[in-house]
Amino acid sequence: KSVKWAGSVKKLAEHLKRREIQRVKNGKASRFEVGGLRQLITFMVIAKQKRVRFEVVLVQPGISKAALTDGSERASNMLRLLGATGAYLAETFEMDLHLIVSD
């Protein structure tokens, strides 16, 4: 889903704005951890003047660094899949892929 929004910062920001307004209207807590709609609108203005780069961050606390480097077939398969995914994102969308795992 991440690449769906990479094509248009405006569409992404409008989507986030619409979801936030609806969520608050329904009495639910904001999804913003930091900032809010005002900062989102400021971001939209700045994004029109700058080149925006997206990146994908995968967080997998159930996978350890040791499990990815133990030389097993499972580790090799995971690394191949991550490598292919990273190459696809980089070549097709100019996006970086980052992986966060447990120690």
Side-chain angles (χ1 to χ4, degrees):
K1 259 187 163 177
S2 301
V3 297
K4 173 183 177 181
W5 301 110
S8 174
V9 174
K10 182 179 180 181
K11 284 183 182 179
L12 171 60
E14 289 296 332
H15 174 72
L16 293 173
K17 181 180 171 185
R18 195 171 38 256
R19 283 182 54 184
E20 179 66 8
I21 289 170
Q22 188 63 40
R23 185 171 178 81
V24 172
K25 183 179 171 184
N26 291 336
K28 296 181 180 176
S30 172
R31 288 187 185 256
F32 289 104
E33 292 288 329
V34 177
L37 282 176
R38 194 170 291 177
Q39 286 80 5
L40 179 62
I41 292 166
T42 300
F43 168 76
M44 289 170 64
V45 171
I46 293 170
K48 288 179 184 177
Q49 303 165 9
K50 305 248 181 208
R51 180 171 185 254
V52 177
R53 292 203 55 202
F54 288 88
E55 59 185 27
V56 175
V57 180
L58 302 176
V59 180
Q60 296 294 318
I63 298 175
S64 68
K65 288 179 187 176
L68 285 175
T69 58
D70 66 5
S72 68
E73 183 178 348
R74 181 175 182 233
S76 294
N77 289 340
M78 283 192 286
L79 291 172
R80 253 193 311 278
L81 177 61
L82 290 167
T85 303
Y88 174 75
L89 290 171
E91 293 170 10
T92 308
F93 302 102
E94 296 182 2
M95 296 172 97
D96 292 332
L97 174 66
H98 303 278
L99 176 64
I100 299 174
V101 296
S102 63
D103 288 326

